[in-house]
Amino acid sequence: MKSVSSLRETTPPPPVHVAIIMDGNGRWAQGRGRSRIEGHRRGMETVREVVKGSIELGVEYLTLYGFSIENWKRPAAEISSLMGLLRLYLRQEIKALDQRGVRMRFIGQRPLLADDIVSLIEEAEEQTKGNTALNLVVALSYGARQEITAAVQSVARRVASGELDDSTIDETVISQHLETAGMPDPDLVIRTSGEQRISNFLLWQVAYAELVFIDTLWPDFSQEDLRDAINEYHRRDRRYGATG
Ligand code: FPP
């Protein structure tokens, strides 16, 4: 197998940061007469495959929308099953992820998560912080508007305390106050299941990302679908508002 660094030198190089809205677990299950949680369980298998595929393709950052702030409105039983799956994933996978060189990070409102999940997240971040093969960012209890609001509050506090001059507030200052501070913006956003929305995901950061919407439901999403989406990304002409 090629080393990660040699993959990153391939032409064309892979997108540095791929972000995925994993959608369609419920419909996958309903279509088979199974419970929604079975769909989420299969969705977790897909996460494993996509992490492996991302490392093989030389992607540096993979951000997965695991649980949105709006998902707290789902029935208590589904939330509790999703949180159970997350516990399972964190307990079972950390060792293997660490061995594969994956650095794990989490964005989103931690105070809304159960204490034991916060501890698992903190342990995962600490244990994997030296890894460089792939940065796996999981958005949990995450909402972009809430993230931007918190950033504005934090900037305002610094201005009020005299630590920051308001004339120096620019895009870099705002980015540095987001939870993704220090990470590159996504180059490619993939949403599965045929829906074509951003759903409060990384609103600031996706300003220039290529958006690829595919009909496949998340539990059926494969490493080949990931490669197809990346090929589609390569066919796009990224101009950032300039002429060709
Ligand atoms: C969207 O499907 C999916 C979710 C709300 C949760 C995603 C969770 C997983 C893939 C499980 C494990 C996650 C991690 C990070 C280990 P949906 O329920 O909205 O599907 P529907 O639109 O068909 O109802």
Side-chain angles (χ1 to χ4, degrees), residues 81-121:
S81 303
L82 269 168
M83 292 299 151
L85 273 183
L86 188 70
R87 281 187 185 94
L88 198 68
Y89 183 81
L90 289 169
R91 292 203 184 107
Q92 283 182 348
E93 298 290 310
I94 288 308
K95 206 169 156 204
L97 289 170
D98 192 23
Q99 281 167 352
R100 286 202 189 99
V102 176
R103 177 176 183 179
M104 287 203 84
R105 306 199 207 181
F106 295 84
I107 55 173
Q109 299 203 1
R110 293 191 192 191
L112 299 179
L113 296 166
D115 290 347
D116 70 307
I117 291 193
V118 175
S119 301
L120 285 168
I121 283 173

Side-chain angles (χ1 to χ4, degrees), residues 174-235:
I174 305 284
S175 294
Q176 283 166 346
H177 286 79
L178 295 172
E179 291 189 72
T180 51
M183 300 181 200
D185 288 340
D187 302 291
L188 166 64
V189 175
I190 303 169
R191 183 171 189 149
T192 56
S193 89
E195 307 292 346
Q196 302 194 357
R197 291 188 290 277
I198 290 295
S199 300
N200 205 15
F201 185 47
L202 301 175
L203 293 180
W204 173 277
Q205 298 89 334
V206 301
Y208 292 102
E210 293 298 329
L211 310 180
V212 172
F213 299 106
I214 72 160
D215 289 338
T216 309
L217 303 174
W218 179 249
D220 290 329
F221 188 84
S222 63
Q223 292 190 5
E224 200 183 332
D225 291 319
L226 177 64
R227 276 193 295 275
D228 285 349
I230 291 178
N231 288 337
E232 168 63 22
Y233 161 84
H234 286 311
R235 284 192 289 273

